[in-house]
Amino acid sequence: MIHQRSHDIKMAAVSWFGFVTAFSIIATCQAVDSVRLMILGDWGGLPSFPYHTAIEVGVAKQMSTVAKKFGPQAILALGDNFYFDGVKNSDDKRFEETFEKVFAVQPGLDSIPWNLVAGNHDHNGNVTGQIEYTKRSKIWRFPNYYYSLSYNIPGGGVVQILMIDTVLLCGNTGDDFLHDQPHGPVDLDKADDQLAWITQSMKNSSADYLFVAGHFPVYSIAEHGPTKCLIDKVLPLLQQYNAVYLSGHDHNLQHLQITKPGLNLNFFVIGAANFADNSNSHAKDVPSGSSKFFWVKESDFGGFAYMEIVKQNTTFTFINGKGNTLYQKMLFPRRTPHHS
């Protein structure tokens, strides 16, 4: 079943051929002169044989197609890297079965660095083991629970991405079927330290494009809904510093936008790389009119996102596991005191 809400959708149900055609000009003229990123969330396979899902494999194959054509510099993975209880340590066979054999073997994906954060299921296990796996992999980049990435845009400009741990910040959730809110941080000092780091990093940033990427969404119309902790702690910072928020957790693709005088905030949920959930049970719990796009379709093998960033604008694209372009949104450099 597919649910789709799109007020400014430009490219609904465009074929993969159409996607390639539409982007061939970009690839020819701008691909070398841009920052290109792929983004996925909630991709973590299964804890027993075959250790993957059909959706995960479909997403991996289409990411390979995009990688071969456009050569992204990096991949952002937004948590729930290993269902349902993370890994035991850096020797866990799940790295081989769910990551290496599904993604790293794909042509074009074997040399692109993966930048990761942990999700609620990862925190059921040993997140330190995932961080330590960085030393054993050519492409797995998980240096700490939270960290900053920066990319120079050819021709001028900077992209900065703050990769945050929303479980350390807000606490973990219960079983999936409960669809509940985070229960509060286990370690208040660590939560406060991270929030201070986020605040200072955003305050100090002079990036033309500033993204914050974590597992729990700020806003979502789907099964888990908005995350009250992030609305309280992170939303004011997104508003103050005009940053875009990227997340997973809900197993679908979403774009939400809040537009007010002097304020234009974008939120993307990218959690459809392993499971599909068509619930929109929290549609009334987000700001009125903010839900611009909502999609999930298990038979289309989930989906992921691709971003191409040039000095003048960013093109954000949702792609499904069959290679169809589902939706595009244009983003523009932020206006901050640094850019006035």
Side-chain angles (χ1 to χ4, degrees), residues 188-229:
L188 288 172
D189 288 337
K190 288 183 178 179
D192 290 343
D193 287 347
Q194 182 178 190
L195 184 59
W197 176 85
I198 295 169
T199 303
Q200 195 63 41
S201 297
M202 296 182 79
K203 180 180 179 181
N204 292 343
S205 178
S206 59
D208 300 84
Y209 297 93
L210 180 60
F211 295 88
V212 179
H215 183 66
F216 294 146
V218 175
Y219 288 121
S220 166
I221 71 170
E223 64 265 34
H224 297 102
T227 306
K228 184 180 185 303
C229 165

Side-chain angles (χ1 to χ4, degrees), residues 107-167:
L109 297 184
D110 52 357
S111 60
I112 301 175
W114 282 58
N115 302 284
L116 302 103
V117 294
N120 52 299
H121 286 281
D122 301 307
H123 274 277
N124 290 341
N126 181 359
V127 176
T128 301
Q130 294 194 36
I131 293 172
E132 290 175 347
Y133 191 69
T134 301
K135 301 174 184 177
R136 309 178 63 162
S137 169
K138 295 186 298 183
I139 59 175
W140 183 277
R141 306 279 178 84
F142 198 164
N144 210 330
Y145 286 90
Y146 52 93
Y147 56 97
S148 178
L149 300 169
S150 184
Y151 301 93
N152 292 322
I153 304 170
V158 174
V159 180
Q160 185 176 10
I161 306 162
L162 302 182
M163 305 287 284
I164 70 172
D165 191 310
T166 55
V167 177

